[in-house]
């Protein structure tokens, strides 16, 4: 639990002598939330990123299964929202990544269920 709002799995870099090396988080990395999650037909991924609210660069969205294989599914990007359709994805847990100019700006998980 990193703060009072987000429960998730986090890692912390510990040096061999047991001291903390801190957590590296790029300054341009933004939290995102998915609703509904789990979903059966479509979901909306919302993020508060000034990079994408009028972005003049390349924005990409990718989804991977838990084995790291890229999954293809229909989506649309508009300002600070991505609408994702299930397409033909089977039930399961998927990881998404939003990139701006080839740099990851947000990541999260999608759960597909009937």
């Amino acid at each position: 639990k990193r703060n009072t709002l987000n429960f998730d799995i986090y890692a912390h870099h510990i040096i061999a002598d047991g001291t903390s090396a801190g957590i590296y988080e790029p300054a341009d990395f933004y939290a995102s939330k998915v609703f509904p999650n789990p979903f059966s037909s479509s979901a909306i991924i919302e993020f508060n990123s000034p990079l994408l609210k009028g972005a003049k660069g390349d924005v990409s969205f990718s989804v991977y299964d838990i084995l790291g294989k890229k999954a293809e599914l229909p989506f649309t990007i508009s300002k600070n929202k991505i609408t994702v359709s299930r397409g033909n994805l089977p039930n399961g847990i998927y990881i998404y990544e939003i990139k701006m100019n080839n740099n990851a700006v947000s990541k999260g998980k999608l759960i597909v269920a009937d």
Side-chain angles (χ1 to χ4, degrees):
K1 180 174 163 184
R2 186 173 287 187
N3 61 38
T4 59
L5 301 176
N6 296 322
F7 287 90
D8 212 337
I9 298 170
Y10 296 96
H12 196 84
H13 188 150
I14 305 295
I15 300 174
D17 67 4
T19 59
S20 171
I23 299 173
Y24 171 71
E25 291 183 347
D28 57 353
F29 201 79
Y30 297 92
S32 55
K33 55 185 170 184
V34 181
F35 54 92
N37 200 18
F39 72 98
S40 60
S41 60
S42 66
I44 295 173
I45 300 169
E46 193 173 78
F47 46 93
N48 192 19
S49 169
L51 293 175
L52 300 179
K53 286 183 179 176
K56 294 191 167 59
D58 292 325
V59 177
S60 66
F61 174 73
S62 302
V63 176
Y64 303 91
D65 66 17
I66 58 172
L67 298 175
K69 181 180 173 191
K70 190 170 185 177
E72 299 296 327
L73 66 152
F75 66 91
T76 57
I77 300 174
S78 62
K79 296 198 180 198
N80 65 333
K81 291 182 185 176
I82 296 176
T83 303
V84 179
S85 297
R86 177 181 184 162
N88 59 359
L89 286 182
N91 289 347
I93 299 172
Y94 298 87
I95 306 299
Y96 67 85
E97 179 178 58
I98 302 167
K99 288 185 176 181
M100 174 71 176
N101 294 325
N102 243 5
N103 295 310
V105 294
S106 192
K107 294 180 182 182
K109 62 184 168 284
L110 295 169
I111 302 171
V112 177
D114 289 329

